[in-house]
Amino acid sequence: DVEPQLKTLEDLKVSVTELTLEEKLAHNITSNSYVFDFDNATVGVSTGKGGRTVAANARNFPALINHGVAMTVGYIGPCGLNLPHFHPRASGILYVVHGKFEIGFYQENSAKFITNIVKKGQATVFPKGAVHYEQNLGCEPAQFVAAYNNEDPGTLTVINSLKQVSANIVSASLGDIPDNEFEALLKRLPVNPALGVDECLIRCGLKSAGRKKSVARSVKK
């Protein structure tokens, strides 16, 4: 898979009719322009210690252009965590294919934090712009499918903003932490999806209880 050039995408976007778009896709992309292979994708992929997510949107699946839909499939490992993030241009509905997820979202200041356990065969919704996450609670791989009402939903993982905002602003926002602690924090930020909470990691044998206690003592000191 290779993402189409921006010029090609812009040309598709201004198609006069759906038939014009179809003709351009067949001519400029490939004969299978209407098929996206999530299992074998090499574009739209994020891989971390907690699993892999694959996103199909207007940039890497041009057949979605002008159709107002997009999709992400999460292949989340044992205790894997799809880090808190939000989609600035779309609401989403998430369906659990197999496994069990703790799922939560926070829509805006002063709103109530909503959290639920969503199991195989169940679905939940995320309002547009709400910060949300998915945590695999099991010791086996789990999978979800999330659909969006915009072909370009956008994704911003919350911790990624720490890398983009100037260090002094982030430091002040976190209680004026020293520069050396801020740099250490940035180095520890995981790639998405990450490993999740200690309770799950210890229960599934992915982390020792002793390691948890030593970390806690270190933080306390």
Side-chain angles (χ1 to χ4, degrees), residues 18 25 38 133:
E18 180 62 24
L25 282 168
F38 282 95
Y133 67 88

Side-chain angles (χ1 to χ4, degrees), residues 110-126:
S110 78
K112 181 179 179 181
F113 177 75
I114 304 295
T115 183
N116 287 289
I117 304 300
V118 185
K119 303 176 183 179
K120 176 182 176 180
Q122 297 180 331
T124 190
V125 65
F126 300 122

Side-chain angles (χ1 to χ4, degrees), residues 56-86:
N57 52 51
R59 185 176 182 86
N60 58 20
F61 188 22
L64 299 178
I65 288 177
N66 294 338
H67 291 154
V69 293
M71 181 173 285
T72 293
V73 175
Y75 306 84
I76 309 300
C79 300
L81 170 65
N82 193 23
L83 293 167
H85 62 284
F86 64 92

Side-chain angles (χ1 to χ4, degrees), residues 135-150:
Q135 159 85 58
N136 178 6
L137 295 175
C139 301
E140 300 293 331
Q143 183 179 359
F144 67 77
V145 174
Y148 311 101
N149 60 348
N150 189 319

Side-chain angles (χ1 to χ4, degrees), residues 10-100:
E10 290 175 340
D11 183 42
L12 293 170
K13 184 69 176 177
V14 297
S15 300
V16 177
T17 67
E18 180 62 24
L19 290 179
T20 305
L21 174 62
E22 182 180 312
E23 291 170 358
K24 290 179 180 179
L25 282 168
H27 181 265
N28 295 323
I29 313 295
T30 64
S31 58
N32 61 346
S33 296
Y34 287 88
V35 177
F36 188 91
D37 188 347
F38 282 95
D39 286 345
N40 299 295
T42 59
V43 294
V45 180
S46 179
T47 303
K49 292 182 178 180
R52 180 169 65 104
T53 61
V54 183
N57 52 51
R59 185 176 182 86
N60 58 20
F61 188 22
L64 299 178
I65 288 177
N66 294 338
H67 291 154
V69 293
M71 181 173 285
T72 293
V73 175
Y75 306 84
I76 309 300
C79 300
L81 170 65
N82 193 23
L83 293 167
H85 62 284
F86 64 92
H87 306 288
R89 295 180 289 277
S91 301
I93 183 169
L94 181 144
Y95 174 81
V96 176
V97 179
H98 58 81
K100 179 172 66 174

